[in-house]
Amino acid sequence: MLKITRKVEYALIALRHMQSKNVDELTSTKEIANQYGIPQQLLAKTLQQMARDRILEAVQGPAGGYRILAKLDRISLKDFFEKLEGPLGMMDCYFESDCIQISACNIRVPIQRINDNLRNMFTQMTLQEVTQ
Amino acid sequence: MLKITRKVEYALIALRHMQSKNVDELTSTKEIANQYGIPQQLLAKTLQQMARDRILEAVQGPAGGYRILAKLDRISLKDFFEKLEGPLGMMDCYFESDCIQISACNIRVPIQRINDNLRNMFTQMTLQEVTQ
DNA sequence: AATAAATACGACATATTTAATCGTATTTAA
DNA sequence: TTAAATACGATTAAATATGTCGTATTTATT
């Protein structure tokens, strides 16, 4: 429980790598995959998604690659995680209302308390803070 | 990511159920399983583990069952989660040192920052607070 | 003493989720 | 025209979580 996924891991590695370069400089998937021993195809998908989410900018063609597009100090860790993984909650019943046993359930409030604290925490941390 | 497991879910349900009773009163696995629609065998294992962890007290034989043994306001959510699920960290490299690419890894510090915040948060919440 | 109802627990099976790979298309600098 | 890069849906593989089975042990009740 509470494990970070590879997708998020690879995304953080890539961001941190790009942060060590000049802002306009491009980084290819291959470069990162080789340097950190990451499956290239999988990393590619992650970077593509980040480009769709306007965190990165993609440049196609040879000598292409990615560079950081967004202001990382404006993106909370919560938003970052949710962009990559979907809604951030410790239980689905936090979002869905079709739990079969919802009427009998006695821990909705407890779970909500934990969830709220968790979300608060990740809302207060920015990507910049974490990756700088 | 960040999903609570059934084990933890069932443990919370059981605790909350028992909290609504007199402190000495026993609750059987069957009673909880029936009332909340939980697989009895699986719940049984969870309760057995909680008994081993001295959170619950088990009484065997017919008319046996479990009652709350520990002071719930003395148990942090971190300890509770770790008793049930093992070390609480967003990445294993927080605990293990045999990561193959540890030398190339550039996100140990970032991950540690997230981890520390997470652990802090769960250290400050007590089981009592959550389930009361 | 026998029975029945409960906990104890290892081993196995199934389901779900995550991670990785494959194949193909598109873009564009050289 | 070619080669090197991104784009992305489909599939496979691996890992984890969830659930079940079988059997043993304990003990109140009869």
Side-chain angles (χ1 to χ4, degrees), chain B residues 20-80:
Chain B
S20 70
K21 297 188 169 189
N22 293 331
V23 286
D24 289 339
E25 204 171 340
L26 289 172
T27 307
S28 74
T29 304
K30 197 178 191 178
E31 175 182 328
I32 297 177
N34 286 343
Q35 183 156 342
Y36 302 97
I38 297 174
Q40 184 172 340
Q41 298 264 43
L42 193 50
L43 174 63
K45 290 193 163 190
T46 303
L47 298 185
Q48 281 158 27
Q49 186 172 351
M50 285 198 281
R52 282 195 297 272
D53 292 334
R54 314 279 298 160
I55 295 171
L56 300 180
E57 181 187 1
V59 175
Q60 287 196 328
Y66 299 90
R67 63 168 75 98
I68 295 174
L69 173 65
K71 299 287 178 197
L72 298 191
D73 59 359
R74 298 260 188 86
I75 301 181
S76 70
L77 221 49
K78 169 183 167 293
D79 288 342
F80 179 63

Side-chain angles (χ1 to χ4, degrees), chain A residues 13-40:
Chain A
I13 288 176
L15 279 178
R16 218 164 135 80
H17 185 84
M18 290 178 200
Q19 276 186 321
S20 70
K21 296 188 170 189
N22 294 330
V23 284
D24 290 338
E25 203 171 341
L26 290 171
T27 307
S28 72
T29 304
K30 197 178 190 178
E31 176 182 329
I32 297 176
N34 287 342
Q35 184 156 341
Y36 301 97
I38 298 174
Q40 185 173 337

Side-chain angles (χ1 to χ4, degrees), chain A residues 37-131:
Chain A
I38 298 174
Q40 185 173 337
Q41 298 263 42
L42 192 51
L43 174 63
K45 291 195 161 188
T46 304
L47 299 185
Q48 283 157 25
Q49 186 172 352
M50 285 198 280
R52 282 195 297 272
D53 292 335
R54 314 278 300 158
I55 295 171
L56 300 180
E57 182 189 359
V59 175
Q60 287 195 327
Y66 300 89
R67 62 168 76 96
I68 295 174
L69 174 65
K71 299 286 179 198
L72 298 191
D73 59 0
R74 297 259 190 85
I75 301 180
S76 70
L77 221 49
K78 168 183 167 295
D79 288 342
F80 179 63
F81 287 160
E82 293 197 335
K83 277 176 194 294
L84 291 178
E85 309 269 13
L88 177 63
M90 298 200 67
M91 283 192 67
D92 295 330
C93 68
Y94 193 76
F95 305 102
E96 299 165 11
S97 53
D98 62 346
C99 173
I100 345 168
Q101 60 171 47
I102 207 87
S103 56
C105 180
N106 66 352
I107 56 166
R108 297 188 76 195
V109 173
I111 292 293
Q112 204 153 328
R113 281 195 191 122
I114 300 175
N115 259 336
D116 289 346
N117 278 327
L118 199 61
R119 291 163 65 86
N120 264 342
M121 189 192 105
F122 285 126
T123 298
Q124 280 161 11
M125 299 179 79
T126 71
L127 248 192
Q128 177 64 34
E129 265 170 52
V130 170
T131 61

Side-chain angles (χ1 to χ4, degrees), chain A residues 4 16 36 90 101 106, chain B residues 4 16 36 90 92 101 106:
Chain A
I4 222 172
R16 218 164 135 80
Y36 301 97
M90 298 200 67
Q101 60 171 47
N106 66 352
Chain B
I4 220 171
R16 218 164 133 80
Y36 302 97
M90 298 199 68
D92 295 332
Q101 60 170 46
N106 67 351

